[in-house]
Amino acid sequence: MAPRRPGAALAAALPSAAAFLLLLLLPPSPLLAAAGLSGYFGTKSRYEEVNPHLVHDPLSLGPGAAGARLPAACAPLQLRALLRHGTRYPTAGQIRRLGQLHARLRRRPAAAACPAAAALAAWQMWYEESLDGRLAPQGRRDMEQLARRLAARFPALFAARRRLLLASSSKHRCLQSGAAFRRGLGPSLSLGTDEVEVEVNDSLMRFFDHCAKFVAWVEENDAAMCQVDAFKEGPEMRKVLEKVASALCLPAEELNADLVQVAFLTCSYELAIKNVTSPWCSLFSEEDAKVLEYLNDLKQYWKRGYGYDINSRSSCILFQDIFQHLDKAVEESKSSKPISSPLIVQVGHAETLQPLLALMGFFKDDEPLKANNYVRQAHRKFRSGRIVPYAANLVFVLYHCDQVKTSKEEYQVQMLLNEKPMLFHHSNETTSTYADLKDYYKDILENCHFKEECELPKVNVTAVDEL
Ligand SMILES: *[C@@H]1O[C@H](CO)[C@@H](O)[C@H](O)[C@H]1NC(C)=O
Ligand SMILES: *[C@@H]1O[C@H](CO)[C@@H](O)[C@H](O)[C@H]1NC(C)=O
Ligand SMILES: *[C@@H]1O[C@H](CO)[C@@H](O)[C@H](O)[C@H]1NC(C)=O
Ligand SMILES: *[C@@H]1O[C@H](CO)[C@@H](O)[C@H](O)[C@H]1NC(C)=O
């Protein structure tokens, strides 16, 4: 229960709207507390959480920019950027649940002991179901600014009249993100011969929808999320639920984990979309936020991450496509031809990036994330908010290096996640020769093929035993 505020006794005598105004005049202690929650918003995190320098200067390349450079003898040949769309509105389902929770709070008589309930009853419900997951104005800015930073980081690749291949998932928020990214680059790049600005390619960007085995075994299999369901009913969530119920003066039976999660999501949406700390945030302490972050990560882990092999194997189509384009660029370079696709930008979802990163072995913890190891996972690598916030981006850069000057192999690769160089597992360095990289992923390159991975077995086995 939140500490009683100095004005609570007085507020008791007033109707709820006046009580809310009074609350606004009081020192903003619970509102300040909310600033500490934003690191735990999981997949609803702002991009600024992973790059805080952008808060002050959205076009700054940040403190790591200089360290990521290769020797001057290397020139970038090809850049492939996989993007998650920018900041979006809640989905229709989330908006509906929020509407129900909000209506319930408004129906209740003003209770003096519940300033949080009064503040929430006075909060204006402004989300409409028609917003359903669409790109928010902030999401357009996320994309325009990301485009400008990438162009500033790789000026030679983004120079005028280079050819840009821009593809996207068919979801409205991704198409809009692609268009915003394009605008951010300015008019000088060439789109090649095809007229369309953004090409829709769901088989690459929404491979999960097209993978029959994933759909049957994970997406449509209720039992696949058993760890998530167990955590919702477990002691950590129970404690958060009881605290929230008590702050709202609701019987705990009237709440459930999903409603608590909607309240927390609303806190995150209001910050990401409107840049405000809403009264929904005051329901939660930092400890509560950690529990709700874990709930979000558990779902990502079992649905998009290491939980089941098919989650990551379904991304083989994208993995293969990346290496095919790298191969082609190397071929063209070796035969002194112009690089046909120097810039490939593809816009998808957190669900596009997370499986690919898992396929490549990144952010893997020694132990799986489970309902019963919340405490042991306190320092886990698998934190969605750090990996796939809004506008998350995974960039592969292929370089051609002048051997005489560097004594390094001719073709080198870097990977950047959210504009920061990643350490390759095989070398623990931020650059790798292309040959070493292909050698490290030899097994996936040779044996992981979408069609075979995603085909359902002919015999009818029930999914869960097989997982
Ligand atoms: C999507 O990309 C894949 C791999 O590059 C390609 O084979 C396929 O033709 C593309 N689909 C569309 C609709 O462009
Ligand atoms: C968001 O709000 C903070 C604090 O009120 C302010 O400093 C910052 O400039 C705002 N950011 C944007 C993008 O409006
Ligand atoms: C990898 O390199 C970083 C510094 O770049 C170092 O801190 C870390 O200990 C290294 N890890 C391994 C496993 O060698
Ligand atoms: C597999 O089982 C499901 C439900 O048990 C059934 O609907 C489906 O027709 C079966 N498929 C085959 C190929 O036997």
Side-chain angles (χ1 to χ4, degrees):
M1 171 119 180
R4 267 177 83 91
R5 308 159 119 303
L10 181 53
L14 299 170
S16 72
F20 179 52
L21 282 179
L22 184 62
L23 285 172
L24 287 180
L25 298 173
L26 291 168
S29 52
L31 296 188
L32 274 185
L37 307 182
S38 62
Y40 307 104
F41 289 159
T43 50
K44 306 298 176 286
S45 296
R46 300 181 302 174
Y47 190 66
E48 287 81 1
E49 288 312 317
V50 295
N51 281 311
H53 62 272
L54 298 177
V55 172
H56 303 292
D57 181 2
L59 297 180
S60 152
L61 299 188
R69 295 248 167 78
L70 282 173
C74 296
L77 288 184
Q78 183 180 64
L79 179 145
R80 148 98 61 155
L82 300 166
L83 316 180
R84 181 191 185 197
H85 56 77
T87 303
R88 66 161 171 82
Y89 291 111
T91 59
Q94 288 162 343
I95 293 171
R96 200 173 313 122
R97 276 193 294 277
L98 173 60
Q100 286 161 1
L101 178 60
H102 188 237
R104 194 174 307 171
L105 294 172
R106 286 178 64 91
R107 274 198 307 272
R108 299 174 47 77
C114 302
L120 287 171
W123 176 80
Q124 168 121 32
M125 170 67 187
W126 64 276
Y127 297 96
E128 291 167 9
E129 283 185 37
S130 61
L131 291 172
D132 188 19
R134 291 168 91 89
L135 194 69
Q138 179 56 42
R140 287 203 291 277
R141 287 193 288 275
D142 293 339
M143 287 290 132
E144 283 174 15
Q145 291 163 356
L146 174 63
R148 292 176 64 181
R149 290 192 305 271
L150 279 179
R153 196 184 288 268
F154 299 101
L157 280 175
F158 286 87
R161 291 186 303 283
R162 298 301 295 270
R163 185 160 193 262
L164 167 70
L165 269 181
L166 187 55
S168 167
S169 126
S170 60
K171 288 280 173 182
H172 189 267
R173 56 181 171 275
C174 297
L175 290 162
Q176 297 271 297
S177 290
F181 187 93
R182 185 74 191 78
R183 272 199 306 280
L185 293 178
S188 64
L189 283 154
S190 151
L191 288 167
T193 47
D194 19 18
E195 293 288 295
V196 276
E197 266 215 343
V198 186
E199 169 194 305
V200 171
N201 196 327
D202 278 345
S203 49
L204 281 184
M205 293 293 105
R206 295 181 62 81
F207 48 77
F208 40 90
D209 281 347
H210 300 247
C211 182
K213 195 188 276 179
F214 170 78
V215 171
W217 289 10
V218 180
E219 180 89 61
E220 291 178 352
N221 175 9
D222 291 340
M225 292 301 117
C226 61
Q227 294 295 330
V228 180
D229 296 334
F231 190 72
K232 283 183 183 173
E233 303 299 324
E236 292 87 3
M237 275 303 292
R238 185 78 216 157
K239 213 171 127 199
V240 176
L241 189 148
E242 279 167 4
K243 257 186 67 180
V244 170
S246 140
L248 295 175
C249 299
L250 282 176
E253 305 76 62
E254 278 195 37
L255 283 181
N256 57 38
D258 293 334
L259 286 172
V260 171
Q261 205 177 11
V262 161
F264 188 62
L265 279 175
T266 306
C267 165
S268 70
Y269 279 120
E270 295 275 284
L271 182 67
I273 296 170
K274 294 174 72 178
N275 194 26
V276 298
T277 296
S278 91
W280 293 97
C281 304
S282 62
L283 295 175
F284 304 99
S285 68
E286 190 172 351
E287 283 310 305
D288 303 333
K290 287 181 184 173
V291 172
L292 288 155
E293 181 198 23
Y294 193 67
L295 177 60
N296 187 287
D297 284 347
L298 263 183
K299 184 170 167 214
Q300 289 295 313
Y301 182 89
W302 291 96
K303 203 160 179 186
R304 311 292 174 181
Y306 292 100
Y308 303 111
D309 278 347
I310 189 58
N311 298 351
S312 59
R313 301 296 282 188
S314 62
S315 74
C316 286
I317 189 165
L318 184 54
F319 183 88
Q320 299 286 2
D321 188 69
I322 292 165
F323 280 83
Q324 276 159 21
H325 277 92
L326 290 169
D327 277 347
K328 190 167 178 220
V330 168
E331 285 298 304
E332 289 167 339
S333 161
K334 279 185 174 160
S335 47
S336 305
K337 286 186 191 151
I339 305 302
S340 49
S341 317
L343 278 180
I344 306 171
V345 176
Q346 297 173 314
V347 193
H349 306 263
E351 294 82 354
T352 316
L353 290 177
Q354 195 88 265
L356 181 70
L357 287 164
L359 185 69
M360 298 184 76
F362 291 106
F363 307 105
K364 185 170 192 175
D365 295 288
D366 295 336
E367 274 183 70
L369 274 65
K370 289 193 169 174
N372 66 6
N373 63 6
Y374 169 71
V375 174
R376 280 208 306 288
Q377 291 288 5
H379 302 289
R380 65 190 177 279
K381 296 179 191 152
F382 196 89
R383 288 186 69 196
S384 308
R386 299 301 150 97
I387 307 171
V388 286
Y390 293 123
N393 50 91
L394 178 64
V395 173
F396 295 78
V397 192
L398 174 70
Y399 294 87
H400 178 260
C401 301
D402 188 336
Q403 268 178 310
V404 187
K405 288 185 224 156
T406 62
S407 80
K408 285 195 169 184
E409 211 217 44
E410 269 195 303
Y411 296 96
Q412 305 262 345
V413 182
Q414 270 190 335
M415 279 175 73
L416 296 97
L417 179 64
N418 302 325
E419 300 172 76
K420 286 178 286 231
M422 297 180 85
L423 286 170
F424 288 108
H425 283 161
H426 57 279
S427 60
N428 196 35
E429 286 177 14
T430 56
T431 61
S432 164
T433 68
Y434 185 49
D436 284 351
L437 185 68
K438 280 179 74 168
D439 191 53
Y440 183 68
Y441 290 116
K442 193 167 186 255
D443 183 55
I444 303 175
L445 283 168
E446 285 174 5
N447 301 316
C448 192
H449 300 287
F450 181 82
K451 191 164 174 294
E452 290 95 83
E453 299 293 333
C454 289
E455 226 162 30
L456 279 169
K458 302 272 187 300
V459 262
N460 221 345
V461 278
T462 38
V464 165
D465 313 332
E466 278 292 300
L467 294 170

